[in-house]
């Protein structure tokens, strides 16, 4: 009964390849996110989807393309992988997209992460 | 834009020592504030949160108070354990994304 799950946990690939990371949440949340954690542990938002609609795209190269087939899933596809893409990618979800809603709506729940290594 | 600044680590303490990890923020409006913890090899877990000024978040012996006047949200614990060794992230809500500090590594020795 994992709340936010990601697959795979580890991904090792060559430069130039295309790869996907999958994320699923069973919390019934409306909003999902992708974050990137670099080698210095710094975390930065990449994308956010609310009910399958793209809400946030933080100047991420267009080699990265998120896809949300339904509100419980948010996948991340990366084309033409580069060395600099090596990082840990975290998926997260939160109950609701709405500023000032109070309560638990802005609390985000994170998946276990996918460590991507590009050789 | 909104930002979070955390004290640099690593912080190394002996078991049962008192812990403070400083966190200050810059924000327009009144964001919610969070502490997340990342244990070795794991994802982020919410440790505690506070949604308005003077709120105190607490969990597992950790606590932090939302101080608007000093724009701070320092994390404290009275007596740390070896099992508290982890990376601690301070964060604020900016619209509907989280803005994180750089993280502080905590190492607790027995």
């Amino acid at each position: 009964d994992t709340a936010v799950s990601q697959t795979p946990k580890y991904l090792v690939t060559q430069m130039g390849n295309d790869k996907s990371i999958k994320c699923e949440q069973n919390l019934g949340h409306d909003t999902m996110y992708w974050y990137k954690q670099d080698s210095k542990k710094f975390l930065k938002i990449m994308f956010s989807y609310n009910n399958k609609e793209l809400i946030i795209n933080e100047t991420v190269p267009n080699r990265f393309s998120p896809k949300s087939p339904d509100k419980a899933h948010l996948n991340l596809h990366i084309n033409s992988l580069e060395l600099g893409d090596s990082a840990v990618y975290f998926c997260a979800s939160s109950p609701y997209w709405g500023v000032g809603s109070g309560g638990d709506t802005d609390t985000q729940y994170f998946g276990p992460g996918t460590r991507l290594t590009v050789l | 834009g909104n930002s979070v600044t955390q004290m640099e680590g690593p912080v190394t303490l002996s078991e049962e020592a008192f812990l403070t990890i400083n966190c200050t923020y810059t924000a327009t409006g009144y964001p919610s504030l969070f502490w997340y913890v990342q244990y070795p090899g794991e994802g982020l877990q919410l440790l505690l949160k506070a949604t308005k000024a003077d709120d105190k978040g607490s969990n597992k012996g950790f606590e932090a108070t939302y101080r608007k006047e000093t724009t701070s949200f320092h994390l404290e614990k009275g007596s740390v354990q070896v099992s508290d060794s982890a990376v601690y992230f301070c964060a604020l809500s900016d619209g509907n994304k989280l803005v994180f500090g750089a993280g502080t590594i905590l190492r607790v020795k027995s």
Side-chain angles (χ1 to χ4, degrees), chain A residues 40-42, chain B residues 4-13 19-24 35 74 86-90 101-107:
Chain A
K40 295 183 179 177
K41 301 286 189 186
F42 188 70
Chain B
V4 175
T5 302
Q6 284 181 242
M7 65 187 285
E8 284 193 32
V11 173
T12 303
L13 296 173
L19 168 71
T20 300
I21 300 179
N22 290 339
C23 171
T24 57
W35 277 100
H74 305 320
V87 183
Y88 292 81
F89 292 92
C90 185
T104 301
I105 297 172
L106 171 65
R107 297 182 179 136

Side-chain angles (χ1 to χ4, degrees), chain B residues 6-40:
Chain B
Q6 284 181 242
M7 65 187 285
E8 284 193 32
V11 173
T12 303
L13 296 173
S14 298
E15 217 167 13
E16 299 184 5
F18 185 85
L19 168 71
T20 300
I21 300 179
N22 290 339
C23 171
T24 57
Y25 67 90
T26 302
T28 52
Y30 303 100
S32 294
L33 301 174
F34 304 83
W35 277 100
Y36 280 83
V37 59
Q38 185 177 25
Y39 297 104

Side-chain angles (χ1 to χ4, degrees), chain A residues 48-59:
Chain A
S48 173
Y49 269 72
N50 182 61
N51 213 356
K52 302 192 297 175
E53 183 182 345
L54 180 66
I55 301 296
I56 294 174
N57 181 343
E58 287 281 309
T59 59

Side-chain angles (χ1 to χ4, degrees), chain A residues 33 37 58 97 106-108, chain B residues 32 36 38 49 96-97:
Chain A
Y33 310 80
Q37 185 177 45
E58 287 281 309
W97 175 267
D106 57 0
T107 298
Q108 295 186 19
Chain B
S32 294
Y36 280 83
Q38 185 177 25
K49 66 179 282 190
N96 278 84
K97 65 184 181 187

